[in-house]
Amino acid sequence: MKINKISCESFAGLSDKEIRLEDGLNIIEGPNESGKTTMVDLAYSALFQDAKVGARAASDKEFRNLYYPRMASGFQGEPDGAVSFDGAAGTFVLRKEWGADGSVSLKTPDGIRVKDADAIKQILQEELGYGQATYKELVFSSQRRPITAVAEILNGAAKDGSLADLTDQVMQSVMETGGMSLDAFEKGLDEKIAALGGNWDFDADLPNGGRKRGINNPWKRSVGAILQAYYDAEQVRSELDEVAQREANCQNAQDARAHAERGFAQAQQARQEFELARGLEKERRNAQAAVDNARTACSLAARAQAEAQSVADQCEKAQVQWPQLQKLHDAVDVLLNQQVQAQRAEQVAKALADAQQAKAAFDQANAAVPESAPTAQDADRVAALERQESKLHAQLSGLNIAATLSAVNPEAVRVIGLSSGEPVDISSGEFAIKEAVRICVPGVMELTLSPRGVDVERVQAQVQQASQERASILATFGAQDAAALQALSTAAANAAMKRDAAKSSLERVLNGATMEDLERACAENPVGEKSAQDIATELDGLCKGKDPRTILGKAQSSLESLVQAYGSLEGLAQKLAAAKEDVTQKAAAVEGAQKNLELCQQKLQELPTPAVDLSAVADLDAHAAQLEQREKTALEQRTEATAGVAEAEALLSQMPKTAEELTADLKDAEAALASLKKEHARWAHIKQVYEQVKAQNVNNPMTDVRDRFCKYLFEATGGALQLNDLTDSMSASITSGTSQLNWDIASEGTRDAISLAFRLALLDHLFPQGGCFVVLDDPFTDMDPERTQQACSMIARFAERNQVIFATCDPKYRQLLPDANVIEWTK
């Protein structure tokens, strides 16, 4: 089963709310106390809370206190809600309106709308698969419905029935056999199911053979409890239909008698009223004509007075508005002109300030550009010379000779490096020759050692030439080396770029003008005491936030209309005086017409009022004869109808039970039939689950739950908690390290982890193929970050085969559950 949509018009503090859910993981994210839990409770209530909410039962009182819309003065209206969900047969839409006369409807996938509450409960039971207790403990466990089963199994407490829905049913069925063989137990289940469902077609929900095997052609053998309950209900229904038919006949006869009595009374009254009206008709017609004429005169006089009063009212209104409009027009006109001048002055002043700032920036940047600076070509040339010298020096290097000097006078021998030009240290008598050298013994010899094929003198000349050119360039700009020269070149180029940028900025600010043009414009448009913003604020207050030019135009148009209508204020005053005088005269005329109308009405009222209008009767004598015959016929019909009532009441009195008694019997019979069907479904489900459990582990039906619980608990706590045992009686043993864990002393985070592991284990067991849904309402608030990460991983995998509705106020779950459908919830 999957929930598609939850909605309501009014439920607790929710108003006109709707959320749409998808397969897999759904996150409802919103602040605390914004109604997320209430929306989840709405879905639970729609599925399980009866629509009729009384005033005495404790559960009904709790529902009223929690979910009825409430204002400061008390309850305001009654709650409603709707849930759309996908079941085995397709999409269902369940709607409920709770109250003393609550209503419920269920639209099935084939478009049929079911309104019978018991029938809807049966359909929901079939689609949900398990009862309310399972969904309360495992599926909808929330802030208002914390899971209690975990504490019970951990502390070994006696169960209160909260888990006695599927797993406990299987457990109890196995345990109650008293050790009988599995075959005997299974035979007992088959006999129980057969005793309930003998000769009953559960697919058609009718006896085997269809309606033709009803109470008029009943089965004689293999009649199961369900079929017998069906026959009992059909027999009561047949008797109730007979009573209903006789009651309807009786009611029809009574209605016919009442109708005949009314017809006789009406015919008698019509004849009497006609005879009285014949004597009064002429006098009343004359009096009515006088009243109508007087009323017309009153209406005309009142209309003339209203028209005169309207003219006077318009003059008075114009007399008040004219000076106000003139004052508003003049004030807005002056302020608009002042605003234009202020804006011009402020624009010119800003332009001059911007130009002055740009001019100062240009002057500063221009001063920073050096008069003489190396170019990039100079820096590149020095770098090339340095590389050339390095290559030339390398030609004189590359020797690796170990030399030993033995001389009578070693101090007279000199060894000079031809690449570096520095003497080699030969004082120890042993030295290394790494480059070309010249060995000199004054007055004796001069020996040059160099790499083969190198013209030492030519290379030295080239080194000297490159060194002199490099030194000349560096000396020109006062630099020590190529890097320093490059830095000077870059600095000069940057300064020139800044100067050019400052010049472009100045030209852009001036926009073709000169500084003298701007200074002259500032002198011609000096800034006044009020700024343009101050004037705009004053205009906004005067025009009450509306466009001043629109206000000015409307005021101008209104003044022109007044001038056109009245000419001047003096002309308006004269017209007002004339209008008031006209109103006085018209009022006097109305008073006279009203007095005449009252006199005519008094004369008409003093006449007796005839009950019949004879204006449409052509022949009074013929009409009188018709009324006499009508009265006679009505009397005969009344006598006949009275006899019919006596006959119908006699037939009804022959029935042994009343409709109320039979209705109560039928309700009991149908309830018994529904109860037997539920019992059969429960035993059939027990048989199905028993066979599954038997196939898995005949000796311990809770093996699957225990294995799943153990796996989830290990994962949720990172191995910190271990499930040692989960017995057939749902008693658990959990250890933390070497210590036995007790629920009452466990931390909230540990409780959350155990609860989550237990819920997922049971849900996997109850829905081995997936396809269920589960509600998690801020389930990890007391977990540390590591356990929260582990729990989220478990939820994500669970959502691969099931629907998860995860309500939270913490946005971190967007990252912890990245594949979720996120529903942003607002209050």
Side-chain angles (χ1 to χ4, degrees):
M1 177 176 172
K2 180 197 75 171
I3 294 181
N4 299 319
K5 182 174 71 174
I6 309 171
S7 62
C8 72
E9 292 181 5
S10 180
F11 188 84
L14 303 178
S15 178
D16 293 326
K17 279 289 188 181
E18 175 182 302
I19 58 172
R20 295 180 179 272
L21 303 169
E22 298 179 359
D23 289 338
L25 184 57
N26 298 266
I27 295 179
I28 306 175
E29 180 186 310
N32 286 325
E33 302 302 327
S34 60
K36 303 186 300 299
T37 298
T38 303
M39 202 67 178
V40 171
D41 289 348
L42 168 59
Y44 177 81
S45 299
L47 291 172
F48 298 110
Q49 174 66 39
D50 287 342
K52 291 185 178 181
V53 180
R56 295 184 178 180
S59 60
D60 288 349
K61 290 181 179 179
E62 180 182 9
F63 181 79
R64 289 168 61 88
N65 291 332
L66 285 175
Y67 303 121
Y68 268 52
R70 185 189 298 270
M71 302 292 287
S73 58
F75 292 131
Q76 297 291 324
E78 296 175 331
D80 67 272
V83 176
S84 172
F85 62 89
D86 287 346
T91 300
F92 294 79
V93 179
L94 175 65
R95 301 181 185 277
K96 282 190 179 179
E97 293 181 2
W98 289 277
D101 299 319
S103 64
V104 58
S105 68
L106 179 67
K107 183 179 180 182
T108 62
D110 54 7
I112 298 175
R113 191 174 299 278
V114 183
K115 294 186 178 181
D116 181 73
D118 292 336
I120 291 174
K121 286 182 180 179
Q122 179 65 29
I123 294 173
L124 289 177
Q125 175 64 33
E126 293 173 358
E127 294 300 327
L128 292 171
Y130 302 103
Q132 180 178 358
T134 295
Y135 279 84
K136 177 181 178 181
E137 279 289 336
L138 300 179
V139 177
F140 278 99
S141 180
S142 70
Q143 293 174 349
R144 293 198 180 100
R145 288 182 298 278
I147 186 167
T148 59
V150 179
E152 291 178 357
I153 67 168
L154 196 60
N155 290 341
K159 287 186 283 295
D160 59 359
S162 60
L163 291 179
D165 189 6
L166 191 66
T167 303
D168 274 1
Q169 290 178 15
V170 174
M171 290 300 305
Q172 291 172 10
S173 298
V174 174
M175 293 168 64
E176 289 172 358
T177 59
M180 71 170 60
S181 68
L182 294 179
D183 291 339
F185 172 64
E186 188 170 359
K187 179 180 179 182
L189 282 177
D190 292 338
E191 291 175 352
K192 180 67 176 179
I193 293 171
L196 288 168
N199 262 330
W200 184 258
D201 186 343
F202 287 92
D203 292 332
D205 199 25
L206 289 170
N208 284 335
R211 298 189 182 278
K212 66 180 182 179
R213 298 309 300 262
I215 57 174
N216 295 324
N217 181 28
W219 287 96
K220 302 299 183 181
R221 298 180 180 179
S222 301
V223 178
I226 293 176
L227 180 58
Q228 185 59 54
Y230 172 79
Y231 286 152
D232 294 343
E234 287 297 301
Q235 181 62 41
V236 175
R237 184 176 287 106
S238 175
E239 295 175 4
L240 179 60
D241 290 343
E242 179 63 25
V243 171
Q245 182 61 49
R246 295 191 183 189
E247 286 183 342
N249 294 340
C250 187
Q251 183 62 48
N252 291 337
Q254 292 172 349
D255 292 343
R257 181 180 62 182
H259 179 73
E261 289 178 345
R262 288 194 298 272
F264 174 72
Q266 291 171 358
Q268 190 178 52
Q269 181 181 2
R271 181 183 58 78
Q272 294 172 352
E273 290 175 348
F274 173 75
E275 292 175 353
L276 179 62
R278 291 181 70 173
L280 298 174
E281 182 60 26
K282 182 176 181 180
E283 189 175 357
R284 175 170 295 281
R285 285 179 180 178
N286 293 335
Q288 184 62 53
V291 170
D292 293 341
N293 292 335
R295 184 175 289 111
T296 300
C298 283
S299 177
L300 293 174
R303 185 182 303 169
Q305 182 188 13
E307 291 173 353
Q309 185 62 52
S310 176
V311 172
D313 292 343
Q314 291 176 358
C315 291
E316 287 181 342
K317 183 178 180 181
Q319 197 173 43
V320 174
Q321 290 180 341
W322 198 325
Q324 295 175 348
L325 285 170
Q326 189 64 55
K327 181 180 179 181
L328 176 63
H329 173 275
D330 295 344
V332 173
D333 187 43
V334 169
L335 287 174
L336 284 173
N337 290 330
Q338 291 178 356
Q339 187 182 40
V340 171
Q341 295 173 0
Q343 288 174 343
R344 173 60 181 166
E346 290 174 1
Q347 290 172 355
V348 172
K350 185 178 184 306
L352 177 59
D354 292 345
Q356 290 173 341
Q357 183 179 0
K359 180 66 167 59
F362 171 72
D363 293 341
Q364 181 180 2
N366 190 44
V369 178
E371 295 181 0
S372 176
T375 65
Q377 291 78 7
D378 293 332
D380 292 343
R381 179 57 182 165
V382 170
L385 290 171
E386 287 182 348
R387 291 193 297 272
Q388 181 180 1
E389 287 184 57
S390 177
K391 290 180 179 179
L392 291 171
H393 283 300
Q395 293 182 20
L396 297 177
S397 302
L399 296 178
N400 188 12
I401 301 174
T404 302
L405 178 63
S406 298
V408 176
N409 186 12
E411 292 80 4
V413 179
R414 294 182 62 201
V415 180
I416 306 298
L418 298 182
S419 174
S420 63
E422 298 294 328
V424 178
D425 183 10
I426 61 174
S427 57
S428 62
E430 293 182 358
F431 57 94
I433 298 176
K434 301 293 185 178
E435 61 178 334
V437 296
R438 179 175 285 113
I439 302 173
C440 297
V441 181
V444 178
M445 73 167 186
E446 185 175 284
L447 176 65
T448 298
L449 298 177
S450 64
R452 183 182 298 277
V454 175
D455 186 344
V456 175
E457 291 182 356
R458 182 182 60 82
V459 171
Q460 285 181 323
Q462 290 177 345
V463 169
Q464 182 178 8
Q465 181 180 356
S467 175
Q468 288 175 351
E469 183 180 354
R470 177 172 59 83
S472 174
I473 295 173
L474 292 174
T476 300
F477 299 106
Q480 294 182 350
D481 52 24
L485 192 66
Q486 181 64 47
L488 290 175
S489 174
T490 301
N494 290 338
M497 289 176 60
K498 291 181 180 179
R499 177 196 61 196
D500 295 342
K503 182 179 180 181
S504 297
S505 178
L506 175 59
E507 291 174 349
R508 185 167 53 255
V509 170
L510 289 174
N511 193 24
T514 64
M515 294 294 290
E516 291 74 14
D517 293 338
L518 294 178
E519 291 170 351
R520 184 168 52 256
C522 282
E524 293 172 353
N525 298 275
V527 177
E529 295 180 357
K530 293 183 181 179
S531 67
Q533 181 60 42
D534 293 338
I535 297 172
T537 301
E538 190 173 350
L539 277 170
D540 188 64
L542 185 60
C543 299
K544 298 180 179 179
K546 297 182 180 179
D547 180 50
R549 298 192 181 278
T550 302
I551 295 297
L552 182 64
K554 289 182 177 180
Q556 180 68 34
S557 177
S558 299
L559 287 170
E560 291 174 355
S561 298
L562 290 172
V563 171
Q564 184 178 1
Y566 305 109
S568 64
L569 283 170
E570 291 76 11
L572 174 59
Q574 293 173 2
K575 192 164 185 177
L576 175 59
K580 288 183 177 179
E581 178 63 27
D582 191 28
V583 169
T584 302
Q585 294 176 1
K586 295 296 192 295
V590 169
E591 184 177 358
Q594 185 65 37
K595 288 180 179 179
N596 183 50
L597 174 60
E598 292 172 356
L599 180 61
C600 293
Q601 288 175 332
Q602 183 178 358
K603 291 180 179 179
L604 179 61
Q605 291 173 357
E606 291 173 354
L607 293 174
T609 303
V612 179
D613 182 10
L614 301 179
S615 60
V617 179
D619 187 341
L620 296 179
D621 293 335
H623 188 67
Q626 291 176 357
L627 290 176
E628 290 177 359
Q629 180 60 40
R630 174 187 169 190
E631 182 178 358
K632 180 180 178 181
T633 302
L635 178 59
E636 294 173 353
Q637 292 175 346
R638 184 182 70 173
T639 302
E640 182 180 353
T642 301
V645 169
E647 181 181 357
E649 288 178 346
L651 290 175
L652 178 61
S653 65
Q654 297 173 4
M655 294 299 297
K657 287 187 177 182
T658 66
E660 290 76 9
E661 292 172 335
L662 289 172
T663 299
D665 291 347
L666 179 59
K667 183 177 181 181
D668 293 341
E670 289 178 340
L673 175 60
S675 177
L676 288 170
K677 289 179 180 178
K678 290 181 180 179
E679 184 179 359
H680 179 276
R682 182 171 67 86
W683 282 103
H685 203 84
I686 290 173
K687 174 70 179 299
Q688 178 185 1
V689 176
Y690 166 77
E691 291 175 348
Q692 294 175 354
V693 174
K694 176 183 175 182
Q696 295 173 0
N697 190 333
V698 174
N699 295 322
N700 185 1
M702 290 307 297
T703 298
D704 180 57
V705 176
R706 182 185 63 208
D707 293 344
R708 295 177 189 271
F709 188 15
C710 182
K711 169 181 170 292
Y712 278 125
L713 184 64
F714 183 86
E715 184 175 356
T717 62
L721 298 182
Q722 296 285 340
L723 175 66
N724 298 322
D725 191 20
L726 181 64
T727 67
D728 294 356
S729 59
M730 295 296 285
S731 177
S733 172
I734 298 178
T735 56
S736 175
T738 59
S739 301
Q740 182 73 27
L741 182 66
N742 182 279
W743 179 263
D744 295 330
I745 64 173
S747 68
E748 293 297 331
T750 297
R751 291 182 179 186
D752 288 345
I754 296 174
S755 297
L756 178 63
F758 184 69
R759 289 178 70 184
L760 296 184
L762 274 182
L763 288 171
D764 278 350
H765 179 75
L766 297 180
F767 300 92
Q769 304 302 320
C772 74
F773 70 94
V774 64
V775 177
L776 302 174
D777 193 351
D778 270 333
F780 312 141
T781 54
D782 296 308
M783 289 188 183
D784 57 46
E786 182 178 356
R787 282 192 178 179
T788 300
Q789 179 69 54
Q790 294 164 346
C792 286
S793 298
M794 291 166 54
I795 292 301
R797 288 195 299 276
F798 185 80
E800 292 175 359
R801 297 191 305 128
N802 306 280
Q803 185 186 47
V804 177
I805 305 171
F806 190 105
T808 182
C809 62
D810 195 336
K812 70 182 178 184
Y813 293 105
R814 291 180 181 236
Q815 287 74 40
L816 293 174
L817 298 168
D819 296 329
N821 168 41
V822 179
I823 302 168
E824 295 183 356
W825 180 268
T826 56
K827 190 169 183 178

